[in-house]
Amino acid sequence: MAMLGIAWAAWDLLPEVVTTREATVDRTATEVSRWVVVGAVPAAAVLCTVLMVGARPFDRFIVRFLGRLGLPAGDGDRDRVRDLNAVLITLALFFFVTHCVIIAYEAGAEFPVVPVALALVGAVVATLGVLLRDRLVRDTVVLARAIRRSGR
């Protein structure tokens, strides 16, 4: 909803047609409606959320399959839900800030887009590393033990 509010507030500042790629000698310019600029990031956020939440039943299948093989199946369901929530919250913030950057840039704000995008990606990776560090350490230790037991 926040992304839609930002888009609504900036709607009049956006040009009717946005050029996403300038014309060169070899190709023509690529232009899209402002509807695409306003709707692309929220649509990507919804798609990622649907795919991640929709994969939960498949996650349970993998855990049961690994358990039958005698392999470590990871943490309990509660921990996996907590980790999924951490990822979804982080991605929601990432998509929101990305949407704001795109809208501001297309509305005419002058700022260095590439450094902002790199800082944003770095912040997401660092945040997920902090939030999921316990799982990453546990999974690495469990994997190392499984490799030692297999004799490889």
Side-chain angles (χ1 to χ4, degrees):
M1 293 302 281
M3 284 191 258
L4 296 177
I6 295 292
W8 181 75
W11 183 259
D12 293 333
L13 299 173
L14 296 171
E16 288 280 331
V17 177
V18 177
T19 302
T20 60
R21 185 173 67 180
E22 297 294 329
T24 65
V25 177
D26 300 326
R27 66 174 187 253
T28 60
T30 303
E31 297 177 337
V32 297
S33 167
R34 66 179 160 188
W35 284 101
V36 174
V37 173
V38 167
V41 176
V46 169
L47 178 64
C48 283
T49 303
V50 167
L51 290 174
M52 290 176 73
V53 172
R56 284 284 295 142
F58 188 67
D59 180 48
R60 291 184 188 121
F61 169 76
I62 290 172
V63 167
R64 282 194 305 269
F65 179 72
L66 290 174
R68 288 183 188 148
L69 293 176
L71 297 173
D75 298 329
D77 201 40
R78 176 180 235 155
D79 291 333
R80 281 193 294 279
V81 169
R82 184 194 68 229
D83 292 344
L84 177 62
N85 286 339
V87 170
L88 288 174
I89 290 169
T90 303
L91 286 179
L93 292 172
F94 169 76
F95 280 121
F96 176 71
V97 174
T98 301
H99 184 66
C100 291
V101 166
I102 290 171
I103 295 293
Y105 180 77
E106 294 301 335
E110 294 290 328
F111 60 92
V113 175
V114 173
V116 169
L118 291 174
L120 185 57
V121 170
V124 168
V125 170
T127 302
L128 288 176
V130 168
L131 292 174
L132 302 176
R133 74 175 169 263
D134 293 340
R135 175 182 276 289
L136 296 172
V137 169
R138 271 192 313 260
D139 288 351
T140 304
V141 169
V142 167
L143 181 61
R145 286 182 186 150
I147 291 172
R148 271 190 243 124
R149 273 186 268 157
S150 71
R152 294 181 184 177

